[in-house]
Amino acid sequence: MAMTIHVDIVSAEESIYSGLAEVVIASAQEGEVGIYPRHAPLLTRLKAGEVRLLKDGKEEQFYISGGILEVQPQIVTILADTALRAADVDEAAALEAKASAEKALADKSTKMEYAEAQAQLAEAMAQLRAIERARKTRKH
Amino acid sequence: MASGKEIRTQIASIKSTQKITSAMEMVAASKMRKAQERMAATRPYADKILNVIQHLAHANPEYKHVYLQDRQETQRVGYIIVSSDRGLCGGLNNNLFKEVLHEIKTKSDAGLQVDICAIGQKASAFFSRLPVNMVAQVTQLGDAPRVHELIGSIKVMLDAFESGHIDSLYLVYNQFVNTMTQEDKFIRLLPVSSVEPSQDLLAHWDYIYEPDAKEVLDDLLVRYIESVVYQGVVENIASEQASRMIAMKNASDNAGDLIDDLQLVYNKARQAAITQEISEIVAGAAAV
């Protein structure tokens, strides 16, 4: 049997693949790489593209939108991004989050002080506790 | 005493409320299970990325990323506060906000300023009414949030840290302990503190880096923080659903108690009416 290498493809949201392969082919930032078992430890960024796993003459394909490839002699880990990452896209998302906060701040009708907010919270908590107590006494 | 018909209407209305709360309880239970699965699914990524970062930090002691450096002085602190979008989940959000307010108060008493990034409708509504500096927010993430929905607001905080505007960054969310218990949790995101070289890395070997170690490390650190925040958000959803499940269960139980009590009152009223009628008839017959 041909030598195999363990491959994990994980993203922040889920585990995409975990299993054995003879060769892992991925598009790294500096060009396409093919990883065979006992490859030297390697850490590289991946471009958006295909990851191909060859095993028993069959091929499995995964599309990833970028990420990091970590190679150790017996194990390959691909930390896949969940979406296409680019500096300007991230920047736009950041601006959107800021604008959203500003909008929420503009919407507010009254400004409360810490003390007032704390008082309101304390009141809500007291109500909750009272309900809790009422419930307990009712039960017994 | 209320008449029989009034009490019957009241019982019917409480019964329909009970139907709603018990339906919500069941929905929350199934959503909680899904959220727990999602929580488990996020772990391998974060663990792996932390492993690699630890290795990198160990292999490149001369390169200290700005995220790894402790600041001499802290003047401004950032908080990413995770809350739910919807209410009816018991005291979950209020308990968390209470802790945060306490924390903010301590910080501002010590002369520190605070920046807030709100995740979730409840945090946004609560903190926009306070005299705090809310710099970013993201709401309406739903039951299955995606990482890319969070990137923007996280980047605002990361940029603020990088430019020296804030000196440390905390993540606040409800930790899912079990169905009955959720605890508020504060995690320091920046400077990253968990990067201690572990023992098995001391056998010295190093990766081949493409393009170079620094760029890869930069990428990894951002991804790491995003994944920690994402985990927090997912865990908070599990907590929210668990808390809602319990709250709705209590509401259904209370409705049941209320119905029992009312049923008793109704029976008594009915009995009294019958007794009265009989005594009237008897009195009438005696008069004849």
Side-chain angles (χ1 to χ4, degrees):
Chain A
M1 199 188 117
M3 274 207 300
T4 52
I5 187 166
H6 190 84
V7 187
D8 283 317
I9 306 180
V10 291
S11 80
E13 287 167 12
E14 60 189 344
S15 176
I16 297 167
Y17 177 85
S18 179
L20 296 172
E22 284 157 24
V23 195
V24 182
I25 301 164
S27 42
Q29 202 180 22
E30 313 278 286
E32 192 155 272
V33 289
I35 311 286
Y36 285 80
R38 298 201 197 147
H39 192 285
L42 168 74
L43 201 59
T44 181
R45 278 207 287 219
L46 294 179
K47 290 188 296 191
E50 274 177 346
V51 174
R52 290 185 289 152
L53 308 176
L54 301 183
K55 196 189 173 196
D56 302 330
K58 277 180 274 179
E59 189 180 283
E60 274 198 81
Q61 292 186 339
F62 298 92
Y63 177 80
I64 61 163
S65 38
I68 310 263
L69 171 73
E70 189 222 5
V71 181
Q72 289 190 30
Q74 300 304 333
I75 185 160
V76 173
T77 312
I78 293 172
L79 301 162
D81 288 342
T82 48
L84 205 56
R85 300 298 293 268
D88 49 343
V89 176
D90 285 9
E91 196 64 52
L95 287 177
E96 198 181 311
K98 271 187 189 164
S100 165
E102 276 156 20
K103 192 157 161 273
L105 286 172
D107 276 351
K108 78 192 152 202
S109 44
T110 51
K111 236 184 201 276
M112 284 197 296
E113 290 300 320
Y114 287 132
E116 200 183 328
Q118 267 175 331
Q120 279 200 4
L121 264 178
E123 200 180 324
M125 301 302 295
Q127 281 172 358
L128 275 175
R129 270 198 299 278
I131 292 167
E132 199 69 35
R133 263 203 303 278
R135 185 180 299 144
K136 273 189 191 132
T137 48
R138 182 186 278 274
K139 286 242 166 83
H140 298 306
Chain B
M1 192 180 275
S3 79
K5 188 155 184 289
E6 269 173 36
I7 299 172
R8 268 211 308 273
T9 342
Q10 220 175 343
I11 290 175
S13 108
I14 294 172
K15 268 190 183 152
S16 66
T17 309
Q18 192 186 29
K19 270 183 202 151
I20 295 171
T21 54
S22 65
M24 281 182 80
E25 180 194 337
M26 283 184 274
V27 170
S30 93
K31 281 187 177 172
M32 183 188 77
R33 266 195 295 280
K34 279 191 201 135
Q36 273 178 293
E37 279 163 25
R38 225 170 271 127
M39 249 165 73
T42 59
R43 271 194 195 118
Y45 183 84
D47 290 349
K48 192 73 210 173
I49 229 168
L50 187 61
N51 252 337
V52 179
I53 290 175
Q54 280 171 342
H55 183 93
L56 283 178
H58 178 67
N60 297 276
E62 77 284 354
Y63 177 59
K64 270 243 172 205
H65 191 276
V66 63
Y67 291 169
L68 302 174
Q69 288 166 1
D70 276 324
R71 302 262 164 98
Q72 298 285 327
E73 256 176 69
T74 310
Q75 289 181 335
R76 202 174 248 280
V77 188
Y79 288 96
I80 298 179
I81 297 159
V82 185
S83 74
S84 68
D85 273 331
R86 283 184 244 173
L88 287 184
C89 50
L92 188 80
N93 290 318
N94 279 354
N95 283 331
L96 189 73
F97 295 159
K98 199 176 116 202
E99 288 303 317
V100 174
L101 272 188
H102 182 71
E103 181 87 8
I104 292 176
K105 189 116 201 319
T106 328
K107 291 273 195 272
S108 58
D109 285 349
L112 300 176
Q113 281 168 311
V114 172
D115 275 1
I116 300 268
C117 164
I119 298 179
Q121 192 70 56
K122 292 286 162 192
S124 165
F126 184 80
F127 287 100
S128 63
R129 292 198 300 168
L130 290 179
V132 292
N133 191 13
M134 193 167 85
V135 290
Q137 72 155 8
V138 53
T139 57
Q140 306 301 339
L141 292 172
D143 295 321
R146 304 294 311 273
V147 175
H148 64 84
E149 293 171 309
L150 299 170
I151 288 172
S153 45
I154 297 170
K155 188 174 161 60
V156 171
M157 299 313 266
L158 292 183
D159 286 350
F161 184 82
E162 232 163 294
S163 66
H165 187 67
I166 58 173
D167 303 301
S168 59
L169 179 62
Y170 290 84
L171 173 70
V172 189
Y173 67 96
N174 281 298
Q175 187 186 20
F176 182 89
V177 182
N178 56 43
T179 318
M180 297 299 290
T181 322
Q182 295 87 40
E183 277 171 4
D184 45 87
K185 182 148 195 192
F186 286 70
I187 293 183
R188 194 178 78 170
L189 291 176
L190 291 176
V192 178
S193 52
S194 49
V195 183
E196 298 295 324
S198 57
Q199 280 300 316
D200 56 324
L201 293 174
L202 293 176
H204 205 76
W205 57 272
D206 204 357
Y207 291 106
I208 305 167
Y209 299 103
E210 283 178 20
D212 67 56
K214 286 175 194 168
E215 282 185 40
V216 178
L217 184 57
D218 290 359
D219 260 22
L220 276 172
L221 280 169
V222 174
R223 301 278 192 286
Y224 173 64
I225 287 164
E226 282 167 4
S227 78
V228 173
V229 176
Y230 180 74
Q231 269 186 314
V233 170
V234 173
E235 196 153 339
N236 196 69
I237 288 173
S239 302
E240 176 198 344
Q241 299 299 352
S243 180
R244 176 167 300 134
M245 192 177 90
I246 301 297
M248 289 302 121
K249 187 176 162 26
N250 285 338
S252 307
D253 290 353
N254 288 348
D257 291 349
L258 214 54
I259 290 170
D260 288 350
D261 289 354
L262 282 174
Q263 195 69 51
L264 211 62
V265 174
Y266 171 71
N267 288 348
K268 272 185 189 157
R270 188 170 144 270
Q271 199 76 56
I274 291 168
T275 313
Q276 198 186 345
E277 254 174 63
I278 290 174
S279 61
E280 274 167 15
I281 291 168
V282 172
V288 171

